[in-house]
Amino acid sequence: MPLLEAFRMALETVVAQKLKSFFSLIGVFIGVMFLIAVVSIVQGMNVYVQNTVTSEIGGINSFQLRQRPNMVMGNVTEDMWREWNRRPRISVKDAAYVRARVTVPARFANYCADPVSISYGTKVAKQIELRGTEESYFSLKKYNIADGRAFSGEEVRAGFPVLVLGSIVAEKLFVGQEPVGRSVTIGGLPYRVVGVVESQGTTFGLSQDKFAIMPFSAPARRMICPIGVLDQLMVSTDDPATMQAAMDQVEAAMRIRRQLRPQQADNFTIQTADAALSSWKKVTTVLFTALPLLVGISLVVGGIVIMNIMLMAVSERTREIGIRKALGAKRRDILAQFVVESATLSLLGAAMGIAAGILLAYGIKALTPLPAAIAPWSLGLAVTLGILVGMVAGVYPATRAAKLDPIVALRAE
Amino acid sequence: MNPPIIRVGDLTRRYEMGGETIHALRGVSLEIERNEYIAIMGPSGSGKSTMMNVLGCLDTPTSGEYWLNGLEVSRLGDDALARVRNREIGFVFQTFNLLPRASALHNVELPMVYSGLAAAERRGRAAAALDRVGLANRMRHRPNELSGGQRQRVAIARALVNEPSILLADEPTGNLDSTTSAEIMHLFEELHRQGQTVVMVTHEPDIAAHAERVVTLRDGRVDSDRVTQGAAA
């Protein structure tokens, strides 16, 4: 009997017994729904973390020279932590020394940041990240200026008290007023607002616009880091090969400057997007290891339910099987009929699970800050698993049906 | 002369039931010619149901031989028997045995599904078979939307659609009133006149009287085998 015929008969049966079919699908339905939803959310977070980390570092061909890493998602042991804290901080002189020794084309920005309060008249914006850096920072972070201008190289070298605000800070301090040209105070010192950065949106519900950027050597620098040191030297190149060369040159220069012997480990960190992501990838690996267990349990339960439903179907339809056999159905025809029917049931459950999983993923995306992105491979996997579970669950009932004696089966009620 | 369409020789069939051996058939020999219209009669327990199952290739004899249309079928396996049922035998049952959820057309298509015919050809032949039994306007109806007589006509159309060697009817009028029974018997005579070999198993003498030949079984043996006028009753 052709497969299509068996499939058509299976659909007819399923349609004829809608409610019973639905209940028998619930296990597969739930399993597939979780598969799709969890994969979507983890994938969404993946895309999201990658974008965030990459943009934080300043793009894929960028890296940072730091005292210690600040983007670690894996397990940090006490010993590692203590070793990091013992390291000398990166000084402005270190940065200058390194910058002079990178021969490949690269852009640099010294950088320091800490939260401060900014006030304008009676209005105060608290917990605003004040970033002291250089003019190259804006292009490094791909910040677009929505209003006014970024500060210039001269202003950086002279340490002018000028500020470029994140959009939410500007809104909060100057409700309805033009921010550019106004004077705000940070730690009692006056600063002139010269520009506002285009809104960067939110991350996990947190605004990415709560910052103010000033020239590295502007007066308020003592509030964000000690004199003569910086949080990180940001380095940006144009392609992966240049980036590797620049990283090698930075590391070599730092080792010379720190007078490290060959057997000594670096007492500084060169942080790349890849390195920061590697620990995140460990987290997703753990998630993706736990997921099959969850999905597997649902599918096994779903398979058992389907097997029971099919056994019931076989005993309810004994007479039908007898009729089919009398009319010339061979064992394998009956076997195929019930296996295909079981697979069709299960596939239907999987299809419903896919729909519900996508809805669930987008529901979570809409109601929480968690992102979601449907992974095409998870859809393929769901369909395959659906068919497979149904076929496996159908084999035993179908074998029983195929073995029925036509005379006995014809006499059944 | 043509060889007989059915030849059974010294057919026996024993069952084990609860440690007891039941001799349903104790050596039946019978020849049925092509285009015969024969009724097999007998009281309950005479072995006529077993005879019907063996003739219909639903059951295999314990010993003896069974030639159907030139093929010895008594030692065939399950799948080979299924093939013989599909090609050589058209069943008509007392309880019609139609698939309840399928339309009349689909019910008639079923034997051709198992002989592997393409869907378009199946549909055409099924429609023609329904037309032949006078149900051209009932093809889309399901069994529960048809009267008893109409259901039995659908079953007859299904039995004939693969052009079998024998039409094997088991109490074909057992569930029908007398008017409808007469209609069905008329249809059988019609088919017989067109050349169809008909084997009918029944315990009702006035139904058996429609056949040209009546074989009576008793205790698993042929008790009598007589030629009647047929259709006279």
Side-chain angles (χ1 to χ4, degrees):
Chain A
M1 183 171 46
L3 191 69
L4 196 71
E5 190 64 31
F7 182 67
R8 202 172 62 91
M9 287 193 319
L11 274 183
E12 273 172 18
T13 312
V14 170
V15 169
Q17 312 191 340
K18 290 176 199 76
L19 193 67
K20 200 199 282 173
S21 300
F22 174 76
F23 280 116
S24 58
L25 301 180
I26 243 163
V28 176
F29 171 79
I30 290 174
V32 167
M33 181 175 77
F34 274 123
L35 172 74
I36 300 290
V38 172
V39 168
S40 298
I41 286 165
V42 173
Q43 288 283 95
M45 279 168 71
N46 245 340
V47 170
Y48 168 78
V49 167
Q50 254 166 45
N51 288 344
T52 317
V53 167
T54 311
S55 88
E56 186 64 40
I57 289 188
I60 42 167
N61 295 320
S62 303
F63 63 93
Q64 302 168 338
L65 171 64
R66 300 177 53 86
Q67 179 197 22
R68 59 175 182 240
N70 69 335
M71 283 187 275
V72 181
M73 281 167 255
N75 201 13
V76 177
T77 64
E78 195 116 337
D79 287 343
M80 279 163 81
W81 187 250
R82 255 185 255 121
E83 189 272 322
W84 287 347
N85 282 337
R86 275 200 305 272
R87 292 174 174 185
R89 297 197 62 166
I90 308 291
S91 69
V92 175
K93 280 177 184 156
D94 290 341
Y97 183 86
V98 165
R99 286 165 78 152
R101 278 157 188 79
V102 173
T103 56
V104 293
R107 294 167 299 283
F108 301 90
N110 288 358
Y111 179 92
C112 251
D114 226 12
V116 299
S117 294
I118 303 178
S119 42
Y120 173 68
T122 55
K123 291 206 180 64
V124 181
K126 282 181 185 147
Q127 289 291 311
I128 305 303
E129 189 177 67
L130 180 60
R131 301 171 183 170
T133 185
E134 298 173 68
E135 73 281 7
S136 52
Y137 180 76
F138 294 96
S139 64
L140 246 144
K141 290 283 281 183
K142 300 184 179 62
Y143 278 165
N144 292 324
I145 304 298
D147 190 12
R149 61 173 177 87
F151 48 72
S152 68
E154 282 79 50
E155 284 169 317
V156 171
R157 280 184 287 280
F160 262 48
V162 289
L163 272 187
V164 177
L165 298 180
S167 61
I168 205 162
V169 181
E171 272 165 42
K172 184 159 188 190
L173 290 176
F174 312 108
V175 200
Q177 292 177 300
E178 169 61 42
V180 174
R182 292 185 194 275
S183 185
V184 297
T185 50
I186 300 173
L189 298 171
Y191 275 80
R192 191 162 55 87
V193 176
V194 295
V196 177
V197 175
E198 203 174 75
S199 173
Q200 302 298 304
T202 59
T203 297
F204 291 108
L206 296 174
S207 168
Q208 293 304 294
D209 297 310
K210 285 180 75 175
F211 62 83
I213 308 167
M214 65 169 194
F216 187 76
S217 44
R221 192 174 59 129
R222 61 185 167 77
M223 299 179 66
I224 55 175
C225 59
I227 302 294
V229 302
L230 41 84
D231 285 348
Q232 63 198 26
L233 170 64
M234 301 173 76
V235 186
S236 172
T237 62
D238 295 323
D239 56 72
T242 322
M243 171 170 157
Q244 191 54 54
M247 279 166 68
D248 292 346
Q249 289 175 343
V250 168
E251 188 182 8
M254 277 303 288
R255 289 186 67 91
I256 291 166
R257 185 163 168 82
R258 294 264 169 98
Q259 295 174 341
L260 297 175
R261 284 188 296 277
Q263 69 273 22
Q264 279 181 293
D266 289 351
N267 58 0
F268 52 90
T269 294
I270 290 174
Q271 182 168 264
T272 61
D274 274 354
L277 282 173
S278 73
S279 38
W280 164 252
K281 283 190 180 123
K282 273 182 221 150
V283 177
T284 57
T285 308
V286 171
L287 279 171
F288 278 137
T289 319
L291 183 66
L293 205 73
L294 186 79
V295 173
I297 290 169
S298 313
L299 289 185
V300 166
V301 171
I304 291 169
V305 173
I306 288 180
M307 183 159 85
N308 271 296
I309 293 286
M310 291 310 294
L311 280 172
M312 263 169 65
V314 168
S315 73
E316 275 171 14
R317 283 152 63 192
T318 303
R319 198 187 182 94
E320 174 190 324
I321 295 161
I323 296 170
R324 288 178 185 279
K325 287 200 148 191
L327 298 180
K330 298 185 181 68
R331 281 189 177 198
R332 65 166 178 275
D333 293 324
I334 302 291
L335 192 77
Q337 179 188 340
F338 282 94
V339 169
V340 169
E341 189 169 318
S342 174
T344 305
L345 263 179
S346 177
L347 182 62
L348 249 139
M352 283 159 53
I354 288 173
I358 291 174
L359 275 178
L360 188 66
Y362 280 105
I364 289 174
K365 187 187 182 178
L367 297 176
T368 72
L370 288 171
I374 307 297
W377 65 262
S378 70
L379 303 183
L381 182 68
V383 169
T384 315
L385 281 176
I387 295 175
L388 217 65
V389 166
M391 286 179 71
V392 170
V395 165
Y396 174 61
T399 310
R400 284 196 25 176
K403 278 188 186 157
L404 282 173
D405 178 350
I407 300 169
V408 176
L410 275 171
R411 235 183 275 136
E413 271 320 300
Chain B
M1 190 188 153
N2 282 330
I5 195 111
I6 286 177
R7 187 160 64 83
V8 296
D10 202 20
L11 214 58
T12 70
R13 181 69 172 99
R14 288 191 301 272
Y15 302 102
E16 300 292 329
M17 205 176 259
E20 206 176 332
T21 306
I22 294 166
H23 295 268
L25 296 176
R26 295 165 184 265
V28 176
S29 297
L30 196 65
E31 285 191 1
I32 299 172
E33 300 300 328
R34 209 172 284 272
N35 197 23
E36 263 197 276
Y37 186 175
I38 178 171
I40 296 172
M41 289 197 68
S44 56
S46 62
K48 68 178 191 303
S49 289
T50 306
M51 191 66 194
M52 142 98 194
N53 288 338
V54 172
L55 287 181
C57 291
L58 292 165
D59 197 2
T60 47
T62 311
S63 71
E65 53 185 89
Y66 173 17
W67 292 80
L68 173 62
N69 199 17
L71 182 72
E72 161 63 299
V73 296
S74 61
R75 298 287 173 269
L76 293 180
D78 267 7
D79 281 356
L81 283 176
R83 197 183 150 80
V84 171
R85 289 195 294 268
N86 186 246
R87 303 292 162 96
E88 306 289 347
I89 297 162
F91 285 102
V92 176
F93 300 97
Q94 175 176 3
T95 50
F96 320 132
N97 277 339
L98 299 173
L99 296 189
R101 288 195 305 268
S103 67
L105 189 70
H106 189 78
N107 265 294
V108 179
E109 275 185 53
L110 211 52
M112 295 183 286
V113 168
Y114 294 117
S115 45
L117 256 62
E121 194 187 346
R122 284 201 319 249
R123 215 147 296 147
R125 280 176 61 175
L130 280 167
D131 192 32
R132 199 173 159 195
V133 298
L135 286 177
N137 56 347
R138 291 282 188 277
M139 290 187 198
R140 299 282 160 204
H141 290 58
R142 290 183 175 199
N144 61 5
E145 298 161 339
L146 299 171
S147 71
Q150 287 172 332
R151 285 183 217 182
Q152 197 60 300
R153 283 164 189 271
V154 173
I156 292 167
R158 183 180 66 184
L160 294 174
V161 77
N162 262 356
E163 293 162 2
S165 301
I166 57 168
L167 184 69
L168 189 58
D170 180 18
E171 305 280 6
T173 59
N175 276 15
L176 301 174
D177 61 49
S178 52
T179 321
T180 322
S181 295
E183 278 172 37
I184 296 296
M185 292 328 293
H186 183 72
L187 184 57
F188 274 34
E189 276 149 30
E190 184 83 21
L191 295 170
H192 171 236
R193 226 183 350 265
Q194 291 165 14
Q196 181 68 51
T197 311
V198 180
V199 178
M200 186 164 65
V201 176
T202 183
H203 69 275
E204 290 178 72
D206 48 333
I207 292 298
H210 289 264
E212 292 172 337
R213 176 181 167 198
V214 176
V215 172
T216 309
L217 297 182
R218 185 176 298 275
D219 299 329
R221 290 194 179 88
V222 176
D223 189 49
S224 73
D225 184 347
R226 54 205 162 79
V227 175
T228 64
Q229 282 81 9

